[in-house]
Amino acid sequence: MSRPRKEAVRGLASRQQRAGAALLFLAGCTAVLALWTLGLGAVAISPGEILGIFGSRLGLAATGVPETTRLIIENLRLPRILAAILTGAVLSASGTAMQALYRNPMADPYIIGISSSASLGAILAFFLNLPASWYGLTAFLLSLVTAFFLYRLSRRGRGSSTTLLLLFGIGVSSLYGALGSFFLYSAGEAGFSVLIWLMGSLGNIGWEQLRIMALPMLGGILVLNLLSRELNLLLTGEEEAQYLGMNVERVKKILLTVTALITALSVAYAGIIGFVGLVVPHGLRLIFGANHKRLVPLASLGGAFFLLLADTAARTLIAPVELPIGVVTAAAGAPVFLVLLLKSRHAALE
Amino acid sequence: MAVEVRGVSFNYAKIPILRGICFHAKKGEFFCILGPNGSGKTTLIKRICALHGAQGKTLGGSIRLAGRPLESLKRRDIARLIAVVPQRSSLPGGLSVRETVEMGLYAVEANTREERAAVQSRVDSVMETLGLLQYAGRDIYSLSGGEFQKVLLARALAQNPEILILDEATAHLDIHHAIEIFTLVKNLTRRKALTVLAVVHDINLAAGFADRIMLLDRGRCAGTGTPKEILTAQLLQTVFHIQARVLLTEEGGIAVLPSYPHKEGTLWN
Protein backbone atom coordinates (compact mmCIF):
# COMPACT_ATOMS: atom_id res chain seq x y z
CA MET A 1 0.00 0.00 0.00
CA SER A 2 1.44 3.34 -0.99
CA ARG A 3 1.84 6.06 1.57
CA PRO A 4 -0.77 8.51 0.35
CA ARG A 5 -3.30 5.71 0.15
CA LYS A 6 -2.69 4.75 3.78
CA GLU A 7 -3.09 8.30 4.94
CA ALA A 8 -6.22 8.81 2.92
CA VAL A 9 -7.79 5.66 4.27
CA ARG A 10 -6.82 6.63 7.79
CA GLY A 11 -8.39 10.07 7.32
CA LEU A 12 -11.65 8.51 6.28
CA ALA A 13 -11.59 5.89 9.01
CA SER A 14 -11.13 8.57 11.63
CA ARG A 15 -14.21 10.36 10.34
CA GLN A 16 -16.17 7.15 10.72
CA GLN A 17 -14.72 6.47 14.14
CA ARG A 18 -15.59 9.98 15.19
CA ALA A 19 -19.18 9.40 14.10
CA GLY A 20 -19.24 6.06 15.92
CA ALA A 21 -17.94 7.68 19.07
CA ALA A 22 -20.52 10.44 18.75
CA LEU A 23 -23.29 7.86 18.42
CA LEU A 24 -22.20 6.14 21.62
CA PHE A 25 -21.82 9.49 23.35
CA LEU A 26 -25.30 10.62 22.32
CA ALA A 27 -26.83 7.32 23.39
CA GLY A 28 -25.10 7.57 26.76
CA CYS A 29 -26.16 11.19 27.24
CA THR A 30 -29.77 10.36 26.37
CA ALA A 31 -29.83 7.49 28.85
CA VAL A 32 -28.30 9.54 31.67
CA LEU A 33 -30.56 12.49 30.94
CA ALA A 34 -33.61 10.23 30.88
CA LEU A 35 -32.67 8.76 34.26
CA TRP A 36 -32.06 12.19 35.76
CA THR A 37 -35.13 13.83 34.32
CA LEU A 38 -37.36 10.97 35.54
CA GLY A 39 -36.58 12.23 39.01
CA LEU A 40 -37.41 15.86 38.27
CA GLY A 41 -40.80 17.34 38.95
CA ALA A 42 -43.19 18.28 41.72
CA VAL A 43 -42.09 15.13 43.55
CA ALA A 44 -38.31 14.77 43.42
CA ILE A 45 -37.18 11.18 43.09
CA SER A 46 -33.56 10.07 43.35
CA PRO A 47 -31.86 8.03 40.61
CA GLY A 48 -31.35 5.27 43.19
CA GLU A 49 -35.09 4.99 43.74
CA ILE A 50 -35.70 5.00 40.00
CA LEU A 51 -33.21 2.23 39.40
CA GLY A 52 -34.85 0.38 42.29
CA ILE A 53 -38.24 0.59 40.59
CA PHE A 54 -36.87 -0.72 37.31
CA GLY A 55 -34.93 -3.39 39.16
CA SER A 56 -38.02 -4.65 40.91
CA ARG A 57 -39.89 -4.66 37.61
CA LEU A 58 -37.21 -6.90 36.20
CA GLY A 59 -37.52 -9.09 39.27
CA LEU A 60 -34.00 -8.28 40.41
CA ALA A 61 -34.80 -6.94 43.82
CA ALA A 62 -37.68 -6.03 46.02
CA THR A 63 -37.56 -2.33 46.90
CA GLY A 64 -38.95 -0.18 49.56
CA VAL A 65 -40.05 2.51 47.12
CA PRO A 66 -43.56 3.78 47.96
CA GLU A 67 -46.40 2.89 45.60
CA THR A 68 -47.17 6.55 44.74
CA THR A 69 -43.58 7.14 43.69
CA ARG A 70 -43.73 4.08 41.49
CA LEU A 71 -46.96 5.33 39.87
CA ILE A 72 -45.53 8.78 39.22
CA ILE A 73 -42.52 7.26 37.51
CA GLU A 74 -44.27 4.53 35.58
CA ASN A 75 -47.51 6.20 34.56
CA LEU A 76 -46.67 9.87 34.33
CA ARG A 77 -43.02 10.51 33.66
CA LEU A 78 -41.84 7.41 31.83
CA PRO A 79 -44.33 7.57 28.90
CA ARG A 80 -43.63 11.27 28.50
CA ILE A 81 -39.87 10.75 28.42
CA LEU A 82 -40.15 7.87 25.97
CA ALA A 83 -42.42 10.05 23.83
CA ALA A 84 -39.85 12.86 23.88
CA ILE A 85 -37.12 10.45 22.76
CA LEU A 86 -39.27 8.95 20.01
CA THR A 87 -40.69 12.23 18.75
CA GLY A 88 -37.29 13.91 18.72
CA ALA A 89 -35.81 11.04 16.74
CA VAL A 90 -38.74 11.09 14.31
CA LEU A 91 -38.64 14.82 13.67
CA SER A 92 -34.90 14.89 13.20
CA ALA A 93 -34.75 11.78 11.01
CA SER A 94 -37.59 12.98 8.79
CA GLY A 95 -35.96 16.39 8.55
CA THR A 96 -32.77 14.72 7.36
CA ALA A 97 -34.66 12.71 4.77
CA MET A 98 -36.60 15.72 3.49
CA GLN A 99 -33.44 17.80 3.19
CA ALA A 100 -31.90 15.10 1.01
CA LEU A 101 -35.06 14.61 -1.03
CA TYR A 102 -35.45 18.32 -1.72
CA ARG A 103 -31.72 18.95 -1.81
CA ASN A 104 -32.47 21.97 0.29
CA PRO A 105 -31.24 22.54 3.84
CA MET A 106 -34.43 24.50 4.58
CA ALA A 107 -36.71 21.55 3.91
CA ASP A 108 -38.35 19.75 6.77
CA PRO A 109 -41.74 18.09 7.12
CA TYR A 110 -43.10 21.38 8.49
CA ILE A 111 -42.31 23.36 5.40
CA ILE A 112 -43.54 20.93 2.78
CA GLY A 113 -47.06 20.70 4.14
CA ILE A 114 -46.96 17.32 5.84
CA SER A 115 -47.28 18.73 9.33
CA SER A 116 -49.91 21.32 8.50
CA SER A 117 -52.06 18.64 6.95
CA ALA A 118 -51.41 16.44 9.97
CA SER A 119 -52.55 19.17 12.34
CA LEU A 120 -55.62 19.89 10.22
CA GLY A 121 -56.40 16.17 10.27
CA ALA A 122 -56.11 16.07 14.04
CA ILE A 123 -58.22 19.24 14.40
CA LEU A 124 -60.91 17.61 12.27
CA ALA A 125 -60.85 14.51 14.47
CA PHE A 126 -61.22 16.77 17.51
CA PHE A 127 -64.26 18.54 16.09
CA LEU A 128 -65.88 15.32 14.98
CA ASN A 129 -65.57 14.19 18.61
CA LEU A 130 -63.55 11.14 17.64
CA PRO A 131 -61.62 9.43 20.44
CA ALA A 132 -58.05 10.60 21.00
CA SER A 133 -56.62 7.46 19.47
CA TRP A 134 -58.08 8.57 16.13
CA TYR A 135 -56.08 11.79 15.97
CA GLY A 136 -53.04 10.00 14.65
CA LEU A 137 -55.03 8.15 12.04
CA THR A 138 -56.84 11.18 10.60
CA ALA A 139 -53.61 13.17 10.76
CA PHE A 140 -51.76 10.45 8.88
CA LEU A 141 -54.47 10.00 6.28
CA LEU A 142 -54.71 13.69 5.48
CA SER A 143 -50.95 14.17 5.33
CA LEU A 144 -50.53 11.08 3.16
CA VAL A 145 -53.21 12.33 0.76
CA THR A 146 -51.55 15.74 0.70
CA ALA A 147 -48.05 14.33 0.21
CA PHE A 148 -49.13 12.28 -2.79
CA PHE A 149 -51.30 15.04 -4.21
CA LEU A 150 -48.27 17.32 -4.10
CA TYR A 151 -46.10 14.59 -5.54
CA ARG A 152 -48.43 14.05 -8.51
CA LEU A 153 -48.82 17.75 -9.06
CA SER A 154 -45.07 18.25 -9.12
CA ARG A 155 -44.65 15.50 -11.69
CA ARG A 156 -46.97 17.25 -14.12
CA GLY A 157 -45.00 20.45 -14.27
CA ARG A 158 -41.75 20.96 -16.06
CA GLY A 159 -38.38 21.87 -14.67
CA SER A 160 -37.04 20.75 -11.35
CA SER A 161 -39.80 18.75 -9.75
CA THR A 162 -38.39 19.01 -6.23
CA THR A 163 -38.46 22.80 -6.30
CA LEU A 164 -42.07 22.61 -7.41
CA LEU A 165 -42.85 20.15 -4.65
CA LEU A 166 -41.39 22.59 -2.14
CA LEU A 167 -43.37 25.52 -3.50
CA PHE A 168 -46.62 23.56 -3.67
CA GLY A 169 -45.98 22.44 -0.11
CA ILE A 170 -45.63 25.99 1.10
CA GLY A 171 -48.86 26.96 -0.68
CA VAL A 172 -50.81 24.03 0.73
CA SER A 173 -49.37 24.70 4.20
CA SER A 174 -50.81 28.18 4.21
CA LEU A 175 -54.19 26.98 3.01
CA TYR A 176 -54.41 24.26 5.67
CA GLY A 177 -53.19 26.67 8.32
CA ALA A 178 -55.99 29.05 7.43
CA LEU A 179 -58.59 26.25 7.46
CA GLY A 180 -57.32 25.04 10.82
CA SER A 181 -57.49 28.55 12.29
CA PHE A 182 -61.03 28.93 10.97
CA PHE A 183 -62.15 25.76 12.74
CA LEU A 184 -60.44 26.79 15.95
CA TYR A 185 -61.94 30.26 16.02
CA SER A 186 -65.40 29.04 15.18
CA ALA A 187 -65.20 26.62 18.10
CA GLY A 188 -64.67 29.38 20.64
CA GLU A 189 -63.57 28.20 24.11
CA ALA A 190 -63.08 24.58 23.13
CA GLY A 191 -60.68 25.65 20.42
CA PHE A 192 -58.30 27.07 23.00
CA SER A 193 -57.21 23.69 24.31
CA VAL A 194 -56.50 22.62 20.76
CA LEU A 195 -54.45 25.75 20.25
CA ILE A 196 -52.34 24.88 23.30
CA TRP A 197 -51.83 21.38 21.96
CA LEU A 198 -50.82 22.76 18.57
CA MET A 199 -48.10 24.83 20.21
CA GLY A 200 -46.52 21.56 21.16
CA SER A 201 -46.59 19.61 24.37
CA LEU A 202 -45.62 16.12 25.35
CA GLY A 203 -47.67 16.38 28.54
CA ASN A 204 -50.75 14.63 27.15
CA ILE A 205 -48.97 11.49 26.16
CA GLY A 206 -49.66 8.43 28.24
CA TRP A 207 -49.21 4.75 27.60
CA GLU A 208 -52.34 4.65 25.45
CA GLN A 209 -50.95 7.16 22.94
CA LEU A 210 -47.47 5.73 23.17
CA ARG A 211 -48.78 2.31 22.24
CA ILE A 212 -50.17 3.74 19.00
CA MET A 213 -47.11 5.83 18.19
CA ALA A 214 -44.25 3.58 19.13
CA LEU A 215 -44.22 0.83 16.54
CA PRO A 216 -44.85 2.93 13.43
CA MET A 217 -42.33 5.52 14.62
CA LEU A 218 -39.62 2.98 15.36
CA GLY A 219 -40.36 1.29 12.04
CA GLY A 220 -40.19 4.60 10.19
CA ILE A 221 -36.88 5.54 11.75
CA LEU A 222 -35.54 2.11 10.82
CA VAL A 223 -36.66 2.51 7.21
CA LEU A 224 -35.00 5.92 6.93
CA ASN A 225 -31.79 4.43 8.32
CA LEU A 226 -31.97 1.59 5.80
CA LEU A 227 -32.40 4.10 2.95
CA SER A 228 -29.15 5.92 3.69
CA ARG A 229 -27.56 4.99 0.34
CA GLU A 230 -30.62 6.22 -1.51
CA LEU A 231 -30.55 9.48 0.44
CA ASN A 232 -26.91 9.92 -0.55
CA LEU A 233 -27.77 9.40 -4.19
CA LEU A 234 -30.60 11.92 -4.00
CA LEU A 235 -28.00 14.55 -3.07
CA THR A 236 -26.51 14.22 -6.50
CA GLY A 237 -29.79 15.12 -8.21
CA GLU A 238 -32.57 13.01 -9.62
CA GLU A 239 -31.12 12.63 -13.08
CA GLU A 240 -27.72 11.50 -11.87
CA ALA A 241 -29.31 9.21 -9.29
CA GLN A 242 -31.06 7.49 -12.18
CA TYR A 243 -27.82 7.23 -14.13
CA LEU A 244 -26.38 5.53 -11.05
CA GLY A 245 -29.17 2.97 -11.16
CA MET A 246 -31.67 4.18 -8.58
CA ASN A 247 -35.41 4.03 -9.18
CA VAL A 248 -35.95 7.61 -8.06
CA GLU A 249 -39.73 7.68 -8.22
CA ARG A 250 -40.07 4.61 -6.05
CA VAL A 251 -37.64 5.95 -3.47
CA LYS A 252 -39.50 9.26 -3.38
CA LYS A 253 -42.80 7.48 -2.79
CA ILE A 254 -41.36 5.44 0.08
CA LEU A 255 -39.76 8.50 1.65
CA LEU A 256 -42.94 10.57 1.42
CA THR A 257 -45.11 7.80 2.85
CA VAL A 258 -42.79 7.04 5.76
CA THR A 259 -42.22 10.69 6.57
CA ALA A 260 -45.93 11.47 6.34
CA LEU A 261 -46.69 8.60 8.69
CA ILE A 262 -44.21 9.36 11.43
CA THR A 263 -44.53 13.14 11.27
CA ALA A 264 -48.31 12.91 11.33
CA LEU A 265 -48.19 10.74 14.43
CA SER A 266 -45.87 13.14 16.18
CA VAL A 267 -48.04 16.15 15.28
CA ALA A 268 -51.21 14.32 16.31
CA TYR A 269 -49.96 13.52 19.80
CA ALA A 270 -47.32 16.15 20.53
CA GLY A 271 -48.47 19.10 18.46
CA ILE A 272 -46.20 21.16 16.26
CA ILE A 273 -42.62 21.20 17.51
CA GLY A 274 -40.51 23.28 15.20
CA PHE A 275 -36.80 23.56 14.64
CA VAL A 276 -35.81 20.01 15.64
CA GLY A 277 -35.96 18.70 12.08
CA LEU A 278 -33.97 21.67 10.87
CA VAL A 279 -31.34 22.33 13.52
CA VAL A 280 -30.30 18.85 14.56
CA PRO A 281 -29.60 17.36 11.12
CA HIS A 282 -28.01 20.54 9.93
CA GLY A 283 -25.70 20.89 12.88
CA LEU A 284 -24.65 17.25 12.65
CA ARG A 285 -24.09 17.58 8.90
CA LEU A 286 -21.74 20.48 9.47
CA ILE A 287 -19.69 18.40 11.90
CA PHE A 288 -19.83 14.90 10.46
CA GLY A 289 -20.41 15.47 6.75
CA ALA A 290 -23.32 14.61 4.51
CA ASN A 291 -22.94 10.83 4.25
CA HIS A 292 -26.33 9.55 5.35
CA LYS A 293 -24.90 6.26 6.58
CA ARG A 294 -23.62 8.33 9.50
CA LEU A 295 -26.04 11.23 9.35
CA VAL A 296 -29.36 9.40 9.70
CA PRO A 297 -28.45 7.44 12.85
CA LEU A 298 -26.69 10.47 14.32
CA ALA A 299 -29.68 12.69 13.58
CA SER A 300 -32.08 10.16 15.07
CA LEU A 301 -30.19 9.96 18.34
CA GLY A 302 -29.33 13.66 18.32
CA GLY A 303 -32.99 14.58 17.85
CA ALA A 304 -33.98 12.26 20.68
CA PHE A 305 -31.46 13.85 23.03
CA PHE A 306 -32.32 17.38 21.95
CA LEU A 307 -36.05 16.98 22.41
CA LEU A 308 -35.67 15.22 25.75
CA LEU A 309 -33.52 18.11 26.91
CA ALA A 310 -36.03 20.64 25.57
CA ASP A 311 -38.95 18.86 27.22
CA THR A 312 -37.10 18.75 30.53
CA ALA A 313 -36.53 22.49 30.27
CA ALA A 314 -40.14 23.07 29.24
CA ARG A 315 -41.52 21.39 32.33
CA THR A 316 -38.97 22.60 34.88
CA LEU A 317 -37.85 26.12 33.90
CA ILE A 318 -40.86 28.00 35.26
CA ALA A 319 -42.54 25.14 37.15
CA PRO A 320 -45.34 24.62 37.98
CA VAL A 321 -46.20 26.37 34.72
CA GLU A 322 -45.22 24.39 31.66
CA LEU A 323 -43.76 26.11 28.61
CA PRO A 324 -44.85 25.00 25.13
CA ILE A 325 -41.97 22.83 24.00
CA GLY A 326 -41.79 24.64 20.66
CA VAL A 327 -40.74 27.77 22.54
CA VAL A 328 -37.83 25.90 24.09
CA THR A 329 -36.70 24.18 20.90
CA ALA A 330 -36.65 27.47 19.03
CA ALA A 331 -34.97 29.39 21.86
CA ALA A 332 -32.26 26.77 22.31
CA GLY A 333 -31.98 25.68 18.71
CA ALA A 334 -31.79 28.99 16.94
CA PRO A 335 -28.62 30.35 18.62
CA VAL A 336 -26.81 27.02 18.27
CA PHE A 337 -27.87 26.99 14.64
CA LEU A 338 -26.53 30.49 14.03
CA VAL A 339 -23.20 29.72 15.70
CA LEU A 340 -22.83 26.56 13.61
CA LEU A 341 -23.57 28.48 10.44
CA LEU A 342 -21.03 31.13 11.24
CA LYS A 343 -18.36 28.61 12.14
CA SER A 344 -18.92 26.30 9.21
CA ARG A 345 -16.67 26.39 6.22
CA HIS A 346 -18.76 23.75 4.57
CA ALA A 347 -20.73 24.01 1.38
CA ALA A 348 -23.63 22.18 2.93
CA LEU A 349 -25.64 25.33 2.49
CA GLU A 350 -25.31 25.47 -1.22
CA MET B 1 -22.64 -3.95 -31.07
CA ALA B 2 -22.37 -1.99 -27.82
CA VAL B 3 -24.91 0.69 -28.69
CA GLU B 4 -27.39 0.50 -31.51
CA VAL B 5 -29.81 3.35 -32.18
CA ARG B 6 -32.31 2.94 -35.01
CA GLY B 7 -34.67 5.62 -36.24
CA VAL B 8 -35.21 7.30 -32.89
CA SER B 9 -37.45 10.38 -32.92
CA PHE B 10 -38.37 12.37 -29.85
CA ASN B 11 -40.63 15.29 -29.00
CA TYR B 12 -40.47 17.47 -25.93
CA ALA B 13 -43.64 19.40 -25.17
CA LYS B 14 -44.71 18.68 -28.76
CA ILE B 15 -41.56 20.28 -30.17
CA PRO B 16 -39.50 17.87 -32.27
CA ILE B 17 -36.05 17.43 -30.74
CA LEU B 18 -34.75 14.33 -32.49
CA ARG B 19 -35.67 13.07 -35.95
CA GLY B 20 -34.83 9.58 -37.14
CA ILE B 21 -31.45 9.22 -35.49
CA CYS B 22 -29.52 6.08 -36.52
CA PHE B 23 -26.06 5.10 -35.40
CA HIS B 24 -24.14 2.34 -33.74
CA ALA B 25 -20.98 2.22 -31.67
CA LYS B 26 -18.80 -0.84 -31.64
CA LYS B 27 -17.17 -2.37 -28.58
CA GLY B 28 -14.04 -0.42 -27.70
CA GLU B 29 -14.92 2.44 -29.99
CA PHE B 30 -14.52 6.12 -29.08
CA PHE B 31 -17.64 7.58 -30.65
CA CYS B 32 -18.24 11.33 -30.58
CA ILE B 33 -21.61 12.98 -30.92
CA LEU B 34 -20.79 16.44 -32.17
CA GLY B 35 -23.13 19.33 -32.71
CA PRO B 36 -23.85 22.93 -31.78
CA ASN B 37 -25.95 23.92 -28.76
CA GLY B 38 -29.54 22.80 -29.09
CA SER B 39 -28.84 20.15 -31.71
CA GLY B 40 -30.28 17.40 -29.48
CA LYS B 41 -27.07 15.84 -28.19
CA THR B 42 -28.04 15.68 -24.54
CA THR B 43 -31.59 14.60 -25.36
CA LEU B 44 -30.18 11.71 -27.37
CA ILE B 45 -28.03 10.66 -24.40
CA LYS B 46 -31.06 10.78 -22.11
CA ARG B 47 -32.99 8.60 -24.53
CA ILE B 48 -30.17 6.06 -24.58
CA CYS B 49 -30.33 5.97 -20.76
CA ALA B 50 -34.16 5.74 -20.79
CA LEU B 51 -34.72 9.10 -19.09
CA HIS B 52 -37.91 10.58 -20.42
CA GLY B 53 -38.80 13.78 -18.65
CA ALA B 54 -42.40 14.62 -17.87
CA GLN B 55 -43.39 15.98 -21.27
CA GLY B 56 -41.08 13.93 -23.42
CA LYS B 57 -42.51 11.56 -25.99
CA THR B 58 -40.63 8.98 -27.98
CA LEU B 59 -42.01 8.46 -31.47
CA GLY B 60 -40.84 5.08 -32.60
CA GLY B 61 -37.38 3.80 -33.19
CA SER B 62 -35.41 1.33 -31.13
CA ILE B 63 -32.35 1.34 -28.92
CA ARG B 64 -30.29 -1.71 -28.03
CA LEU B 65 -27.53 -1.81 -25.44
CA ALA B 66 -25.08 -4.70 -25.65
CA GLY B 67 -27.61 -6.41 -27.89
CA ARG B 68 -30.51 -6.09 -25.45
CA PRO B 69 -33.55 -3.90 -26.19
CA LEU B 70 -33.66 -0.88 -23.87
CA GLU B 71 -37.31 -1.50 -22.88
CA SER B 72 -36.39 -4.86 -21.39
CA LEU B 73 -33.87 -3.31 -19.01
CA LYS B 74 -34.59 -2.06 -15.50
CA ARG B 75 -33.00 1.11 -14.18
CA ARG B 76 -30.40 -0.96 -12.32
CA ASP B 77 -29.60 -3.10 -15.36
CA ILE B 78 -29.04 0.03 -17.42
CA ALA B 79 -26.64 1.38 -14.79
CA ARG B 80 -24.66 -1.86 -15.00
CA LEU B 81 -24.20 -1.33 -18.74
CA ILE B 82 -23.91 2.45 -19.00
CA ALA B 83 -22.28 5.04 -16.78
CA VAL B 84 -22.61 8.75 -17.36
CA VAL B 85 -20.20 11.57 -16.54
CA PRO B 86 -22.34 14.72 -16.49
CA GLN B 87 -21.16 18.20 -17.31
CA ARG B 88 -21.71 19.34 -13.75
CA SER B 89 -23.05 17.78 -10.64
CA SER B 90 -25.19 19.57 -8.13
CA LEU B 91 -23.60 17.60 -5.31
CA PRO B 92 -23.22 19.81 -2.26
CA GLY B 93 -20.14 19.53 -0.06
CA GLY B 94 -19.95 17.30 2.95
CA LEU B 95 -18.98 14.11 1.16
CA SER B 96 -15.43 12.86 0.79
CA VAL B 97 -13.93 11.96 -2.57
CA ARG B 98 -14.11 8.29 -1.74
CA GLU B 99 -17.73 8.48 -0.59
CA THR B 100 -18.61 10.17 -3.86
CA VAL B 101 -16.80 7.56 -5.94
CA GLU B 102 -18.57 4.81 -3.98
CA MET B 103 -21.94 6.18 -5.09
CA GLY B 104 -21.08 4.41 -8.34
CA LEU B 105 -21.43 1.09 -6.54
CA TYR B 106 -25.18 1.50 -6.03
CA ALA B 107 -26.13 -0.70 -8.95
CA VAL B 108 -23.22 -3.09 -8.50
CA GLU B 109 -24.09 -6.45 -7.08
CA ALA B 110 -21.72 -7.73 -4.42
CA ASN B 111 -23.20 -10.27 -2.07
CA THR B 112 -20.33 -12.37 -0.85
CA ARG B 113 -17.32 -11.13 1.05
CA GLU B 114 -15.03 -11.90 -1.90
CA GLU B 115 -17.24 -9.91 -4.25
CA ARG B 116 -17.27 -6.95 -1.90
CA ALA B 117 -13.50 -7.07 -1.57
CA ALA B 118 -13.17 -7.21 -5.35
CA VAL B 119 -15.45 -4.19 -5.70
CA GLN B 120 -13.44 -2.24 -3.14
CA SER B 121 -10.17 -3.04 -4.86
CA ARG B 122 -11.72 -1.91 -8.13
CA VAL B 123 -12.60 1.41 -6.51
CA ASP B 124 -8.99 1.65 -5.30
CA SER B 125 -7.56 0.92 -8.71
CA VAL B 126 -9.91 3.36 -10.45
CA MET B 127 -8.93 6.08 -8.01
CA GLU B 128 -5.27 5.22 -8.42
CA THR B 129 -5.53 5.38 -12.22
CA LEU B 130 -7.11 8.81 -12.00
CA GLY B 131 -4.62 10.01 -9.38
CA LEU B 132 -7.33 10.50 -6.77
CA LEU B 133 -6.03 8.33 -3.95
CA GLN B 134 -4.22 11.17 -2.29
CA TYR B 135 -7.51 13.09 -2.13
CA ALA B 136 -9.62 10.16 -0.90
CA GLY B 137 -10.57 11.71 2.43
CA ARG B 138 -10.95 15.26 1.20
CA ASP B 139 -14.28 17.03 1.00
CA ILE B 140 -15.36 17.26 -2.63
CA TYR B 141 -16.21 20.90 -2.07
CA SER B 142 -12.51 21.70 -1.70
CA LEU B 143 -11.60 20.30 -5.13
CA SER B 144 -10.91 22.32 -8.24
CA GLY B 145 -13.17 21.91 -11.27
CA GLY B 146 -10.74 19.56 -12.98
CA GLU B 147 -10.28 17.38 -9.90
CA PHE B 148 -14.00 17.25 -9.29
CA GLN B 149 -14.66 16.16 -12.86
CA LYS B 150 -12.16 13.33 -12.32
CA VAL B 151 -14.14 12.29 -9.24
CA LEU B 152 -17.27 12.09 -11.38
CA LEU B 153 -15.33 10.03 -13.93
CA ALA B 154 -14.12 7.73 -11.15
CA ARG B 155 -17.68 7.37 -9.89
CA ALA B 156 -18.81 6.36 -13.38
CA LEU B 157 -15.94 3.87 -13.74
CA ALA B 158 -16.76 2.38 -10.33
CA GLN B 159 -20.02 1.27 -11.97
CA ASN B 160 -17.83 -1.01 -14.10
CA PRO B 161 -19.81 -0.18 -17.23
CA GLU B 162 -19.46 -1.54 -20.75
CA ILE B 163 -20.38 1.84 -22.15
CA LEU B 164 -19.19 5.18 -20.80
CA ILE B 165 -21.01 8.35 -21.72
CA LEU B 166 -19.29 11.71 -21.39
CA ASP B 167 -22.06 14.29 -21.54
CA GLU B 168 -20.13 17.49 -22.21
CA ALA B 169 -18.02 16.25 -19.33
CA THR B 170 -15.15 18.61 -20.02
CA ALA B 171 -17.11 21.56 -21.39
CA HIS B 172 -16.13 23.90 -18.56
CA LEU B 173 -12.58 22.65 -18.07
CA ASP B 174 -9.43 24.24 -19.44
CA ILE B 175 -7.80 22.57 -22.40
CA HIS B 176 -5.18 20.77 -20.29
CA HIS B 177 -7.76 19.12 -18.04
CA ALA B 178 -10.06 18.35 -20.96
CA ILE B 179 -7.27 16.58 -22.83
CA GLU B 180 -6.16 14.79 -19.66
CA ILE B 181 -9.65 13.36 -19.05
CA PHE B 182 -10.18 12.40 -22.69
CA THR B 183 -6.77 10.71 -22.75
CA LEU B 184 -7.56 8.69 -19.62
CA VAL B 185 -10.80 7.56 -21.21
CA LYS B 186 -9.19 6.87 -24.59
CA ASN B 187 -6.70 4.56 -22.87
CA LEU B 188 -9.57 2.65 -21.31
CA THR B 189 -11.13 2.01 -24.72
CA ARG B 190 -7.86 0.35 -25.70
CA ARG B 191 -7.08 -1.46 -22.44
CA LYS B 192 -10.53 -2.58 -21.41
CA ALA B 193 -12.50 -2.39 -24.66
CA LEU B 194 -14.71 0.23 -23.05
CA THR B 195 -17.14 1.81 -25.49
CA VAL B 196 -17.27 5.58 -25.20
CA LEU B 197 -20.01 7.92 -26.36
CA ALA B 198 -18.69 11.41 -25.93
CA VAL B 199 -21.01 14.34 -26.41
CA VAL B 200 -18.95 17.38 -27.34
CA HIS B 201 -19.30 20.69 -29.02
CA ASP B 202 -15.54 21.27 -29.21
CA ILE B 203 -14.73 20.30 -32.79
CA ASN B 204 -11.02 19.82 -32.24
CA LEU B 205 -11.52 17.63 -29.19
CA ALA B 206 -13.71 15.38 -31.35
CA ALA B 207 -11.15 15.49 -34.16
CA GLY B 208 -8.35 14.52 -31.79
CA PHE B 209 -9.97 11.61 -30.01
CA ALA B 210 -12.88 10.15 -31.96
CA ASP B 211 -12.68 6.93 -33.93
CA ARG B 212 -15.92 8.03 -35.52
CA ILE B 213 -18.10 11.11 -35.25
CA MET B 214 -21.80 11.65 -35.68
CA LEU B 215 -22.65 15.22 -36.54
CA LEU B 216 -26.01 16.39 -35.24
CA ASP B 217 -27.84 19.30 -36.82
CA ARG B 218 -31.12 20.47 -35.26
CA GLY B 219 -32.15 16.97 -34.25
CA ARG B 220 -31.08 15.27 -37.45
CA CYS B 221 -27.99 13.31 -38.25
CA ALA B 222 -25.89 15.32 -40.70
CA GLY B 223 -23.34 12.57 -41.21
CA THR B 224 -21.47 9.75 -39.50
CA GLY B 225 -17.91 8.70 -40.20
CA THR B 226 -14.26 9.15 -39.32
CA PRO B 227 -13.11 12.66 -38.39
CA LYS B 228 -11.64 13.13 -41.85
CA GLU B 229 -14.92 12.21 -43.50
CA ILE B 230 -17.09 14.36 -41.27
CA LEU B 231 -15.07 17.44 -40.46
CA THR B 232 -15.15 19.07 -43.85
CA ALA B 233 -15.38 22.80 -44.45
CA GLN B 234 -18.73 22.32 -46.11
CA LEU B 235 -20.37 20.28 -43.33
CA LEU B 236 -19.01 22.65 -40.68
CA GLN B 237 -20.50 25.55 -42.60
CA THR B 238 -23.88 23.80 -42.76
CA VAL B 239 -24.01 22.65 -39.15
CA PHE B 240 -22.00 25.18 -37.14
CA HIS B 241 -22.42 28.15 -39.51
CA ILE B 242 -18.71 28.92 -39.46
CA GLN B 243 -16.10 29.35 -42.10
CA ALA B 244 -13.21 27.08 -41.29
CA ARG B 245 -10.14 25.56 -42.75
CA VAL B 246 -9.43 21.91 -42.11
CA LEU B 247 -5.72 21.26 -41.73
CA LEU B 248 -3.83 18.00 -41.81
CA THR B 249 -1.58 17.66 -38.79
CA GLU B 250 1.86 16.14 -38.83
CA GLU B 251 0.65 13.08 -36.91
CA GLY B 252 -1.87 12.38 -39.65
CA GLY B 253 -4.84 13.79 -37.77
CA ILE B 254 -6.81 16.86 -38.66
CA ALA B 255 -7.39 20.19 -36.97
CA VAL B 256 -10.10 22.72 -37.63
CA LEU B 257 -9.12 26.34 -37.78
CA PRO B 258 -12.08 28.72 -37.78
CA SER B 259 -11.74 32.13 -39.30
CA TYR B 260 -13.03 35.21 -37.52
CA PRO B 261 -15.40 37.73 -39.07
CA HIS B 262 -13.74 40.82 -37.54
CA LYS B 263 -10.43 40.12 -39.24
CA GLU B 264 -10.10 41.54 -42.69
CA GLY B 265 -9.40 39.30 -45.61
CA THR B 266 -10.72 36.20 -43.91
CA LEU B 267 -13.14 33.78 -45.49
CA TRP B 268 -16.14 35.59 -43.96
CA ASN B 269 -15.87 38.48 -46.38
Side-chain angles (χ1 to χ4, degrees), chain A residues 38 54 72-83 207:
Chain A
L38 268 171
F54 290 145
I72 289 174
I73 292 290
E74 284 187 358
N75 289 351
L76 294 178
R77 292 187 193 162
L78 190 57
R80 177 173 185 156
I81 280 160
L82 291 177
W207 286 111

Side-chain angles (χ1 to χ4, degrees), chain B residues 138-189:
Chain B
R138 253 172 76 178
D139 194 314
I140 48 169
Y141 184 68
S142 67
L143 301 177
S144 73
E147 290 163 341
F148 184 61
Q149 224 43 32
K150 274 196 214 164
V151 174
L152 294 183
L153 175 60
R155 184 177 75 174
L157 293 175
Q159 279 172 256
N160 202 21
E162 293 180 24
I163 304 148
L164 180 72
I165 292 181
L166 305 176
D167 186 5
E168 306 259 22
T170 60
H172 63 286
L173 297 187
D174 61 51
I175 189 161
H176 166 78
H177 284 100
I179 291 175
E180 187 185 5
I181 285 190
F182 267 58
T183 308
L184 283 165
V185 172
K186 182 85 180 176
N187 288 338
L188 290 173
T189 63

Side-chain angles (χ1 to χ4, degrees), chain B residues 62-74 78 81:
Chain B
S62 73
I63 297 173
R64 295 171 84 86
L65 303 176
R68 295 154 75 187
L70 185 60
E71 312 82 62
S72 74
L73 299 171
K74 292 200 178 98
I78 296 173
L81 289 171

Side-chain angles (χ1 to χ4, degrees), chain B residues 44-57:
Chain B
L44 177 58
I45 292 306
K46 285 187 184 170
R47 286 303 310 122
I48 293 172
C49 298
L51 255 61
H52 300 267
Q55 299 184 28
K57 199 171 175 209

